Every structure is written in C-alpha cells, then in structure tokens.
Amino acid sequence: TDETGGNESTLIRSDFGSDGLDADRWVLDSGDDETGEVRGDRFYSRSPKRSHDAGRLQSAEAFEVRGRVRVEARAKLHDLTSWDGRIAELFFTETDGTVGVVELNNTSDTALVVSRSGPDIPGRNVELAPRVETTEWHVYAFTVDLDAGTVTEVTRDGESFDESVDVA
C-alpha cells in the first residue's frame, strides 16, 4: 500500500522468464558450494551444506519501500532433509537487518518460521507452524509493516498465520 494507507500497490518483480536469468534484474550469488541456475522459468538451487546457507538469488537493484510490503514466492523443497529452506527475504540495507520466511529443519527448530536479524532484535526465529512434509509446490507470502516494524501476516498455501513479529 502507499504511504497514505491507500490500496495502491506496485509489483516490483515477477517471474524469471523462459529465456533464463535476466542479469539486469537478478543476481546469482553461488556462495561457497551451492549451485543455482534458471531452466525454463524456474530457479533451481542446491547446497550440500547442512550448517550454513550459502548461495542466493536476489534482485539486481535495491528499492526504497514504505508502509506495508508483501513478499510472495512459489517454491518447493526437493530434499526434505535439507536444513534451511529459505523461501524469501527482505533486506533492510540501512541496518543490515533481514526478515524472511524459512522452512527450517535443524537441531533446534523444525518449523515454518519468520527468520529475523537486526541490531536490536532479540532471538532469531519465530515458529509459526509445522514444517512442510511434502516436496510439492507451495505458495508463500509475508507482509511487513515497515512503519510499525512488524511482520503482520504469513501465508502458506492460503493458510494464514496472523502474527505480530517484531522486526523493528
């Protein structure tokens, strides 16, 4: 929504396109040992690591956003034993903070979580629901109210998890 609270919205990014990765719109950071590529209109990522995430696909440019921001992604985990199925993140460049939705599977968490980091944020992950147990496609979204500094909603396949997760 716009700064005045209206319902105007702007799509910042969409699909990858059938011609592969558009380098003017996307940057692929392969990290240490992760592979990533676009085949057809899908991005494929694989990381053999089990303790740290490595590569990522991100927009080529940063955007100034205000008010409420909704981030959506359609994704699936090919390997259900993968430790960190990071779906989507929003980076706050002024503070190096982030907020994202993750299907987490490690020693301390096995859940759909809001993952957050920032200079004054205590803790990292807020559990929302049990982790997915299928390798099917899932549609995720989360809404961040930048004025209030909270994640106000997370959805997975239409199921809503209304939250007020501090990301200030």
Side-chain angles (χ1 to χ4, degrees):
T1 58
D2 65 17
E3 292 177 42
T4 63
N7 290 323
E8 295 182 30
S9 62
T10 303
L11 178 65
I12 294 178
R13 291 290 180 222
S14 61
D15 297 331
F16 302 118
S18 59
D19 295 330
L21 193 65
D22 181 349
D24 291 334
R25 294 176 60 193
W26 299 101
V27 174
L28 175 62
D29 175 1
S30 294
D32 298 334
D33 57 359
E34 183 161 290
T35 60
E37 65 178 316
V38 172
R39 294 192 307 257
D41 62 352
R42 296 183 180 155
F43 172 68
Y44 295 86
S45 172
R46 181 179 183 280
S47 178
K49 288 186 168 189
R50 290 197 53 82
S51 59
H52 296 284
D53 54 343
R56 65 179 177 226
L57 182 69
Q58 65 187 45
S59 63
E61 55 186 303
F63 301 91
E64 182 176 342
V65 292
R66 296 171 191 226
R68 294 170 64 89
V69 177
R70 181 173 172 87
V71 179
E72 298 180 16
R74 182 174 177 261
K76 72 175 178 175
L77 301 177
H78 177 68
D79 179 3
L80 291 178
T81 65
S82 65
W83 82 283
D84 187 349
R86 195 162 297 273
I87 306 302
E89 279 189 309
L90 187 63
F91 291 82
F92 304 101
T93 57
E94 290 180 8
T95 62
D96 291 329
T98 65
V99 61
V101 172
V102 183
E103 291 283 7
L104 198 59
N105 181 19
N106 63 33
T107 56
S108 59
D109 293 293
T110 302
L112 174 68
V113 303
V114 171
S115 177
R116 63 204 175 142
S117 67
D120 297 318
I121 296 176
R124 182 162 176 86
N125 298 318
V126 177
E127 292 189 13
L128 302 177
R131 187 175 193 269
V132 294
E133 294 298 328
T134 68
T135 58
E136 303 300 317
W137 286 98
H138 298 281
V139 178
Y140 298 86
F142 67 97
T143 302
V144 181
D145 183 334
L146 296 170
D147 296 329
T150 59
V151 171
T152 59
E153 180 186 42
V154 176
T155 61
R156 178 174 64 192
D157 298 328
E159 183 178 0
S160 182
F161 308 98
D162 292 326
E163 291 291 328
S164 182
V165 178
D166 180 13
V167 294

